[in-house]
Amino acid sequence: MIYNAKYECMSREDMRALQSGRLKATVKTCYEKSPFYKRKMDELGITPDDIKSIDDIAKLPFTTKHDLRDEYPFGLQVVPQDQVVRIHASSGTTGKPVVDTYTKNDIDMWAEGVARVMAAGGVKAGDMVQVSYGYGLFTGGLGAHDGAAKLGAVQLPTSAGKTEKQIMLMQDFGTTVLACTPSYAMRLAEAIHNSDQVSIDKMKLKAGFFGAEPWTEGMRKELEEKLHIKAYDIYGLTEMCGPGVGGECEYQDGTHLWEDMFFPEIINPETLQPVAPGEFGELVFTSLCKEAMPIIRYRTRDLTRLIYDKCKCGRTAVRMDRILGRSDDMLIIRGVNVFPSQIEACLTEFPAFQPYYFITVDRKNNEDTFDLDVELRADLYTADPQKQAEYVKPLFSQIVSMVGIKPNIRVLEPFGIERSTGKAKHVLDKRDFSK
Ligand code: ADP
Ligand code: ZN
C-alpha cells in the first residue's frame, strides 16, 4: 500500500518545486537562528538570497559528523527548549555522541517516514509489529514503534535481547511483522529453528523491516526462507531523524527515499563535487522539514548511487542502491560504530603492548567477526597462551567498555604486524555487501 501518494508519487517537477520552497525556508532558518550555519555561510560568502531553488544546493556548506560533535549537545538546535519533545543520540562512538532533538512535528514526520516504509511492505491496522530494535537513545526502537503506531498496528515493544522470550511471544501473540537489525533477525531465525518450544510453522510472521547496518541479498534470501517472510530494507540515520529516511517497496529493487523530507545528493568524496546521475559516491542529505535541528548537506559517508527511473510500484520517489560501504574509516561491526582510532587509543593505555595493531572484520554464518592482532613489547613477548592472556585481559576489558563489542585478540610475535612507511593500514574488511 502507498501511505502518502501525494508525496511518494509526485511528479518530478512538482517535487523539485516543493523541495525548492522547503530548502529556501530551511536555509533562512539556519542562517538566522544557527550561529554555526551563519558562520559557515559567511565563510563561503553566501546568504539565503543566493539560494533560489533546489538547483542552488551545491552552493551550500557541508555538515560533517565532526561538526555535530563540536556542537554537542544542542549547538545546532534552532528552537527554544520548550518546543523540544524528544532527544536521541547515536550509539557506538567514544566521547560525545551525535545528538538529535525533535519537536512534535519532527516526531510526526519521522513516524510518517517509517509508516511509509512499513505500509509499502503491507503493514496495516491489525498487524502486530514486534519491535526488536533496542529502545533507548538509539533511534531504532522508538522509530519503528512510532511508525507502527501511525499505521494503527499493534506495537509490541520487546526491544532487543532476551531471544528465547522474544520467540515465545512471537508465537504466542501471533506477531505478523518483525522490526530489528538484520543480524538480530538472523539470530532470532536460528533460535526458532533450534528450539523445541516454538516452530516457524505455528507463527504468523509475514514481513520484516531490517536496517541500521549493511546487509546483503544473500542474507535477505536466508531470512525470507527461514522466517517465512518478505524481508525489507529500511534505511536511516540519527542525523536526519532515525530509521525511515527510506525503505523498499514490494519490488525490493532499491530503497525509495522520502525526498519531500530529505534531499539526497551523491558527491565524489575526494573532490566534493556532485557525480554524474547514476554514479556511485557519497550520500549527502539536507533535511527539508526538520524543525528542531535542521541539517544542511550532511555527509553520511555512506557509499551508494541514486536511481531516478520510475519504479514498477508507481512511486516516483528516487531509489537508492544498497549501501556499498563507507568513505571514512568507521567500521560498523555487529551494528556498533567502531573507529580504528578507538582501538589505538585503548592500546596506548597499556605499555606492555606496541602501538601497532591490525583489525580484520569478516562475516561468518551471518555474524560479524572482529579479530584484533596486537604485539607485545619484544622484551615481554611470550608464546605461552596463559601468560599472553594475563596481558590481553585488561586490554580486552578496556576495548569492550570503550567500544562496546568484544574483539578476538591475537598476540602476534614481535614484528608480526607490518610496519608502514606511509599511511598505515589498520583494517581489512572482508565482508562483501555487494551481493
Ligand atoms: P549509529 O551512529 O548509532 O550507528 P545511526 O543509526 O544513526 O547510528 O547509524 C546510521 C548509519 O547506519 C547509516 O549512516 C548507515 O551507515 C547505517 N545504516 C542504517 N541503515 C542501513 C541500511 N538499511 N543499510 C545499510 N546501512 C545502514
Ligand atoms: Zn517501488
Side-chain angles (χ1 to χ4, degrees):
M1 190 198 104
I2 296 180
Y3 181 77
N4 192 337
K6 177 176 172 198
Y7 295 113
E8 294 176 58
C9 306
M10 200 174 238
S11 74
R12 295 252 41 106
E13 303 82 79
D14 288 354
M15 182 57 80
R16 297 294 284 186
L18 180 85
Q19 290 167 334
S20 295
R22 289 183 173 180
L23 177 69
K24 282 196 282 187
T26 295
V27 170
K28 187 164 181 286
T29 304
C30 285
Y31 194 75
E32 288 170 0
K33 304 257 173 71
S34 158
F36 168 83
Y37 280 118
K38 171 144 195 332
R39 193 175 68 242
K40 281 219 159 192
M41 287 173 63
D42 286 346
E43 277 166 19
L44 293 176
I46 56 169
T47 69
D49 291 338
D50 292 306
I51 306 303
K52 301 199 164 51
S53 82
I54 196 77
D55 297 327
D56 293 321
I57 193 153
K59 293 180 182 164
L60 290 164
F62 290 106
T63 309
T64 65
K65 220 177 189 81
H66 268 288
D67 292 329
L68 300 187
R69 287 224 183 86
D70 290 347
E71 296 299 317
Y72 172 90
F74 305 133
L76 288 180
Q77 188 177 301
V78 297
V79 298
Q81 199 70 3
D82 64 2
Q83 289 182 32
V84 172
V85 299
R86 181 92 68 77
I87 300 175
H88 281 281
S90 83
S91 66
T93 46
T94 40
K96 311 287 188 198
V98 167
V99 174
D100 197 3
T101 69
Y102 307 69
T103 64
K104 181 157 187 318
N105 286 337
D106 290 336
I107 295 284
D108 275 356
M109 170 202 70
W110 177 19
E112 161 142 4
V114 177
R116 289 185 195 175
V117 178
M118 289 189 173
V123 179
K124 51 185 187 309
D127 274 312
M128 188 181 296
V129 181
Q130 185 157 339
V131 181
S132 311
Y133 284 109
Y135 281 67
L137 286 174
F138 174 53
T139 52
L142 283 165
H145 182 103
D146 289 347
K150 195 132 199 140
L151 292 171
V154 182
Q155 305 116 61
L156 182 59
T158 51
S159 198
K162 300 212 175 82
T163 304
E164 298 307 319
K165 189 161 179 200
Q166 297 253 3
I167 61 174
M168 180 185 87
L169 300 183
M170 196 178 276
Q171 176 167 296
D172 295 349
F173 291 5
T175 296
T176 57
V177 176
L178 174 64
C180 61
T181 62
S183 17
Y184 194 52
M186 290 300 305
R187 179 99 165 263
L188 287 165
E190 197 176 27
I192 291 169
H193 286 271
N194 291 339
S195 166
D196 304 330
Q197 318 292 318
V198 298
S199 150
I200 194 69
D201 296 325
K202 291 198 195 131
M203 296 199 180
K204 296 194 177 136
L205 284 177
K206 63 174 190 187
F209 295 89
F210 306 129
E213 63 181 354
W215 53 307
T216 60
E217 283 305 316
M219 237 164 128
R220 177 188 340 251
K221 205 164 157 264
E222 202 163 334
L223 286 170
E224 293 193 331
E225 279 169 15
K226 287 200 166 140
L227 292 173
H228 300 186
I229 56 171
K230 267 189 94 166
Y232 297 98
D233 200 357
I234 177 166
Y235 170 85
L237 60 164
T238 309
E239 293 80 354
M240 287 302 119
C241 64
V245 169
E248 286 179 323
C249 66
E250 63 272 33
Y251 292 97
Q252 297 173 311
D253 188 19
T255 294
H256 286 285
L257 296 175
W258 310 134
E259 291 178 81
D260 52 310
M261 305 174 180
F262 313 101
F263 184 77
E265 297 171 81
I266 302 286
I267 62 161
N268 176 323
E270 313 268 293
T271 65
L272 306 184
Q273 295 304 309
V275 301
E279 270 183 28
F280 279 92
E282 180 181 336
L283 181 61
V284 170
F285 278 115
T286 300
S287 73
L288 297 176
C289 309
K290 273 180 95 197
E291 290 180 341
M293 222 184 244
I295 305 274
I296 294 174
R297 302 193 86 203
Y298 179 67
R299 292 188 57 188
T300 64
R301 304 286 177 168
D302 291 329
L303 299 173
T304 183
R305 70 189 178 110
L306 296 178
I307 304 153
Y308 283 93
D309 306 342
K310 195 170 166 179
C311 182
K312 289 199 279 285
C313 68
R315 289 177 185 80
T316 49
V318 66
R319 279 171 294 155
M320 170 180 91
D321 214 333
R322 268 194 193 274
I323 307 281
L324 275 188
R326 299 181 51 89
S327 67
D328 61 6
D329 63 354
M330 189 183 89
L331 292 158
I332 302 183
I333 308 177
R334 296 173 208 147
V336 174
N337 295 351
V338 180
F339 286 91
S341 54
Q342 293 177 285
I343 303 297
E344 197 163 326
C346 291
L347 206 53
T348 50
E349 286 178 32
F350 297 91
F353 289 96
Q354 298 272 29
Y356 305 114
Y357 65 101
F358 197 84
I359 298 168
T360 309
V361 189
D362 204 348
R363 191 165 272 187
K364 293 194 178 125
N365 300 324
N366 292 302
E367 262 223 50
D368 289 336
T369 59
F370 175 22
D371 292 325
L372 174 63
D373 293 347
V374 293
E375 262 181 52
L376 281 169
R377 262 174 33 206
D379 54 331
L380 298 176
Y381 178 73
T382 158
D384 176 351
Q386 247 165 15
K387 288 205 182 116
Q388 283 188 354
E390 277 171 35
Y391 290 115
V392 163
K393 225 172 137 199
L395 174 65
F396 177 86
S397 307
Q398 179 66 359
I399 292 174
V400 172
S401 83
M402 283 257 305
V403 181
I405 61 169
K406 297 177 183 167
N408 171 40
I409 299 180
R410 304 184 292 205
V411 177
L412 304 193
E413 56 205 2
F415 298 97
I417 294 166
E418 202 188 341
R419 307 293 195 255
S420 101
T421 51
K423 278 182 195 285
K425 192 171 173 335
H426 291 303
V427 177
L428 176 62
D429 192 344
K430 293 180 165 170
R431 296 171 298 181
D432 181 3
F433 297 117
S434 65
K435 288 196 293 283

